């Protein structure tokens, strides 16, 4: 089990979910980064939350306040099957 938010734990992802779910490591560093991001914005508040969206290659594709725009993020994912598979890896989404 991995440490989760609010002192809980999160079960590791099943094998078929590995490409869709990540578990944060170095939680203290992530908390520090989010606290820093909150301090840089005049609109951001800790009760609204922040999100960071990553490309398939691990680069940051975007971030914002509140819940992620799941529908928009899903629509921008590159194909997982077909002739374009692999060609567009790392090019998913807009930056």
């Amino acid at each position: 089990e991995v440490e989760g938010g609010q002192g809980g734990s999160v079960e590791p992802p099943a094998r078929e979910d590995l490409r869709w779910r990540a578990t944060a490591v170095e939680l203290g560093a992530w908390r520090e980064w989010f606290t820093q991001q909150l301090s840089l914005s005049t609109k951001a508040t800790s009760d609204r939350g922040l999100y960071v969206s990553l490309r398939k290659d691990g680069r940051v594709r975007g971030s914002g306040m509140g819940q992620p725009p799941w529908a928009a993020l899903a629509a921008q994912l590159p194909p997982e099957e077909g002739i374009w598979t692999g060609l567009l890896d790392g090019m998913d989404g807009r930056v």
Side-chain angles (χ1 to χ4, degrees), residues 4-89:
Q6 309 300 316
S9 62
V10 178
E11 290 191 29
R15 184 173 174 81
E16 63 271 10
D17 293 331
L18 285 176
R19 67 180 180 174
W20 304 113
R21 181 174 155 192
T23 303
V25 295
E26 299 185 30
L27 293 177
W30 277 108
R31 285 187 185 105
E32 190 175 311
W33 183 83
F34 275 100
T35 300
Q36 180 186 36
Q37 296 304 303
L38 284 170
S39 71
L40 295 175
S41 172
T42 58
K43 297 180 182 179
T45 61
S46 60
D47 61 322
R48 292 185 66 192
L50 298 171
Y51 71 88
V52 62
S53 170
L54 303 176
R55 292 174 179 252
K56 289 175 67 177
D57 65 2
R59 291 181 295 154
V60 174
R61 80 184 329 187
S63 61
M65 289 186 302
Q67 292 290 320
W70 293 115
L73 294 175
Q76 294 172 12
L77 289 173
E80 289 289 320
E81 298 175 351
I83 63 170
W84 299 107
T85 302
L87 179 65
L88 299 175
D89 287 357

